[in-house]
Amino acid sequence: MDLLRLFERFQKDGQKSMVTLCDIETSENIDISSLELMETDYYPGGKEEELNKFLDVKISDNSDEINNGNISSKNHRKNRNVYVSTKCCVTSVRTEIVKSAKEFLSNILADDQSSIIQRFTTFLSARSPQDTIKAIRCDIEGIFGNENVTTFCDEVIGLYATDKLPCPINITDPTGKLYYYLKRSSSTKFFAKVVQAYATITPHSCGLERAVSCHTILKTNKQSCYSRDAINSRMYIALNSTGTANFDPRPAVATFIGHKVHLLCLTQNLVSRLTYMYI
């Protein structure tokens, strides 16, 4: 149960908005440290520790009843199955499960993602133009081409010369550093574009899964005549529009009620005039 709680927490951390690969790596390291603690003992205050205490109390109560003669000892098995019932086997199985979970989390980020995280971390920790350029030069060459490296270097040197870089020491969060860099640089510069690329790298496939789900909902057997433009427009609205969780319907309802009352007054006036004319 404690393992499930750790994996559930890791999953929720990965599905948060504005999450970066560095945040995922931090969550991964936290969970691995928790698993290392569980290798030798129960997680403090966890469900497993609580269950173990409960079983100890039950076993103690049964032993007292047997010693007092309330329960016949003939009903209890003396030769237990050594592969299932012994405490040593339970401990071995538990240790193997914890080690497997730890190994899975340790290898969850591929080698290419690990290299991206390393360059990303070096870039955020850079305190000089040389370190900044060296950290992400390969990304500049891969995204914008080798011919734009010189322009990028000029931008970085200019940002350091105008005291817009480096990031203040009191900002320690990777996401905070990213948005500080975006705020201090022009959106048309290569420096801002590479920061945007780092900020938009998603460590999960939730966006793709949402797009597939929206497409499945939109284009059914009864709505197969949608044009490509209509599907794209509706998918854009479904994926980028404001959710209903923070929607306040009261202004729209008030407008509708006011409009309805206005129509009701007009209808009553019209009926009165028609009645007066025919009378």
Side-chain angles (χ1 to χ4, degrees):
M1 288 181 284
D2 295 330
L3 281 175
L4 295 178
R5 184 183 64 85
L6 292 178
F7 277 96
E8 182 181 3
R9 184 180 64 185
F10 183 72
Q11 181 184 16
K12 290 182 178 180
D13 290 341
Q15 294 178 350
K16 291 180 180 178
S17 59
M18 300 174 64
V19 66
T20 61
L21 285 175
C22 287
D23 299 329
I24 295 300
E25 187 184 35
T26 303
S27 300
E28 178 191 8
N29 294 333
I30 292 174
D31 289 342
I32 290 176
S33 300
S34 301
L35 290 173
E36 290 177 352
L37 182 63
M38 294 174 61
E39 282 183 352
T40 56
D41 199 358
Y42 301 120
Y43 197 85
K47 295 293 184 181
E48 192 177 7
E49 185 182 54
E50 182 180 350
L51 179 61
N52 186 62
K53 291 181 179 179
F54 175 77
L55 293 177
D56 289 341
V57 172
K58 286 293 184 181
I59 293 174
S60 177
D61 294 341
N62 292 335
S63 300
D64 293 339
E65 291 179 357
I66 293 174
N67 294 331
N68 294 331
N70 296 330
I71 299 178
S72 176
S73 60
K74 295 181 180 179
N75 296 329
H76 294 270
R77 293 173 56 189
K78 294 182 179 180
N79 297 325
R80 299 180 181 273
N81 189 340
V82 294
Y83 297 103
V84 178
S85 304
T86 60
K87 185 176 181 180
C88 180
C89 183
V90 172
T91 304
S92 300
V93 172
R94 177 187 176 278
T95 304
E96 186 66 25
I97 293 174
V98 173
K99 287 184 177 180
S100 299
K102 179 183 175 182
E103 183 179 0
F104 173 76
L105 283 179
S106 300
N107 300 327
I108 197 169
L109 293 178
D111 294 336
D112 54 346
Q113 292 176 328
S114 299
S115 61
I116 292 174
I117 293 174
Q118 184 178 2
R119 295 197 303 271
F120 187 23
T121 306
T122 306
F123 165 67
L124 294 178
S125 303
R127 309 297 297 178
S128 65
Q130 294 81 4
D131 295 338
T132 303
I133 295 171
K134 183 179 179 181
I136 57 174
R137 177 175 177 174
C138 60
D139 293 328
I140 295 296
E141 293 176 352
I143 298 174
F144 306 109
N146 192 27
E147 63 276 6
N148 294 313
V149 174
T150 304
T151 306
F152 169 74
C153 295
D154 294 338
E155 294 175 1
V156 172
I157 294 173
L159 290 172
Y160 273 94
T162 55
D163 293 333
K164 293 182 178 180
L165 292 180
C167 183
I169 301 177
N170 58 347
I171 301 178
T172 58
D173 182 59
T175 306
K177 290 182 179 180
L178 277 178
Y179 287 95
Y180 173 83
Y181 290 154
L182 287 176
K183 184 178 179 181
R184 303 291 286 178
S185 59
S186 176
S187 59
T188 58
K189 303 294 184 180
F190 289 112
F191 180 83
K193 291 180 180 179
V194 74
V195 173
Q196 292 172 6
Y198 277 133
T200 55
I201 294 177
T202 54
H204 52 73
S205 60
C206 292
L208 178 61
E209 294 171 2
R210 288 182 59 204
V212 173
S213 299
C214 290
H215 187 274
T216 304
I217 294 172
L218 288 173
K219 194 168 184 179
T220 60
N221 294 331
K222 297 181 180 180
Q223 296 175 334
S224 59
C225 58
Y226 271 146
S227 64
R228 177 56 56 188
D229 293 337
I231 292 178
N232 291 339
S233 300
R234 284 165 172 77
M235 287 189 64
Y236 181 84
I237 294 172
L239 295 174
N240 298 286
S241 61
T242 304
T244 57
N246 299 322
F247 176 71
D248 186 9
R250 289 175 293 182
V253 173
T255 303
F256 173 76
I257 293 176
H259 183 65
K260 188 175 181 181
V261 171
H262 182 64
L263 290 178
L264 182 61
C265 294
L266 289 177
T267 304
Q268 291 177 351
N269 293 333
L270 181 60
V271 171
S272 301
R273 291 182 181 181
L274 291 175
T275 304
Y276 177 77
M277 289 174 60
Y278 284 101
I279 291 177

